[in-house]
Amino acid sequence: MDGFGILKGMGVTLKRFIDTYLDDLRWFGKRYYTKEGVARRMSTETRGIFTIQYPEEKLPVPEEFRFIPFLLYEEGENGEIKERCTSCGICAKVCPPQCIWIVRTTDPNTGRPVPEPKEFYIDVDICMNCGFCAEYCPFDAIKMDHDYELSVYDRHAKNIYDKDKLMKPVSYYASIRPANYAREEAARAEAEAAKAARRAQAG
Ligand code: SF4
Ligand code: SF4
């Protein structure tokens, strides 16, 4: 029928328009001025108008959201730190814009390489947040962060992140990416069990 498509399109537009205000109507204006309303607008449950008063209010990011990479370290029971990075250099090789620099540690007595980075830098102005470094790291030592508030007044001095700035505990990783963390830990436990079984068979 002539004009049916136009009517259908207008119907969709009208539905979207009404949907925009449904949450506002449900909350009778309290969506903006009460603690619960603000929490609702900042949650993944929110519907309708998404405008928030940034930076006082922030929308949650999904688990797979990725920004600048960070390095992971394990926290020992006595507060000691164990870096996961072995300084293998794979992340630096696969990084498309080549914004990772690593200097490997060497044993001062033998001059032989030690599997941990002495220095580790990422130029966050060049990083394009692709996540390749995290994908390819064989040791789960580098992961993508959720922190997107990186504005600084002096990018030359502040946007080349060194090891101190890049290192974060595994517990932080588990808090921002719980599903990924659980999956990796399960795979690690499975691999350890298989290794132990092979050892028992051989010995
Ligand atoms: S972060 Fe991973 S891939 Fe990069 S050097 Fe360290 S262990 Fe290798
Ligand atoms: S996220 Fe991509 S661009 Fe950024 S450091 Fe990792 S590999 Fe390089």
Side-chain angles (χ1 to χ4, degrees):
M1 192 177 75
D2 280 351
F4 180 70
I6 295 173
L7 283 176
K8 201 173 157 192
M10 285 172 75
V12 171
T13 306
L14 184 64
K15 181 178 179 310
R16 294 273 181 230
F17 177 73
I18 292 168
D19 281 354
T20 305
Y21 294 101
L22 273 185
D23 242 19
D24 276 359
L25 292 172
R26 272 193 210 111
W27 284 75
F28 291 113
K30 290 182 186 151
R31 194 169 174 252
Y32 296 91
Y33 306 110
T34 64
K35 211 171 146 200
E36 296 75 26
V38 170
R40 161 85 182 188
R41 285 192 301 119
M42 289 168 65
S43 79
T44 48
E45 303 299 312
T46 196
R47 296 284 175 274
I49 296 172
F50 287 90
T51 311
I52 54 159
Q53 300 299 319
Y54 182 82
E56 289 80 16
E57 298 172 20
K58 288 171 196 165
L59 288 174
V61 293
E63 176 161 347
E64 297 305 334
F65 175 80
R66 55 174 200 260
F67 216 60
I68 300 300
F70 64 99
L71 293 171
L72 275 69
Y73 67 81
E74 315 270 356
E75 300 152 291
E77 277 174 18
N78 302 320
E80 72 271 17
I81 282 175
K82 187 176 177 314
E83 295 172 35
R84 279 193 179 179
C85 178
T86 62
S87 174
C88 69
I90 291 175
C91 55
K93 275 211 174 67
V94 298
C95 173
Q98 296 284 285
C99 63
I100 301 179
W101 297 277
I102 306 167
V103 179
R104 179 177 257 181
T105 307
T106 43
D107 186 311
N109 299 320
T110 63
R112 291 171 71 93
V114 175
E116 65 182 43
K118 185 172 168 220
E119 291 166 49
F120 199 115
Y121 299 100
I122 296 180
D123 186 332
V124 302
D125 280 337
I126 295 176
C127 174
M128 58 189 204
N129 325 112
C130 65
F132 273 21
C133 49
E135 284 291 320
Y136 282 92
C137 175
F139 302 97
D140 284 329
I142 188 165
K143 297 290 177 189
M144 302 305 288
D145 211 340
H146 279 181
D147 184 12
Y148 53 83
E149 295 179 309
L150 308 181
S151 307
V152 287
Y153 283 106
D154 182 356
R155 70 186 180 87
H156 297 293
K158 301 214 166 112
N159 277 359
I160 296 186
Y161 286 15
D162 62 10
K163 221 172 107 175
D164 283 348
K165 183 128 188 179
L166 290 168
M167 293 272 275
K168 293 189 178 178
V170 172
S171 53
Y172 170 74
Y173 172 58
S175 72
I176 63 165
R177 295 185 184 271
N180 283 264
Y181 172 74
R183 198 171 52 239
E184 287 159 17
E185 287 306 301
R188 212 185 307 282
E190 204 176 304
E192 285 299 322
K195 213 194 280 175
R198 273 199 305 274
R199 248 190 253 124
Q201 242 175 11

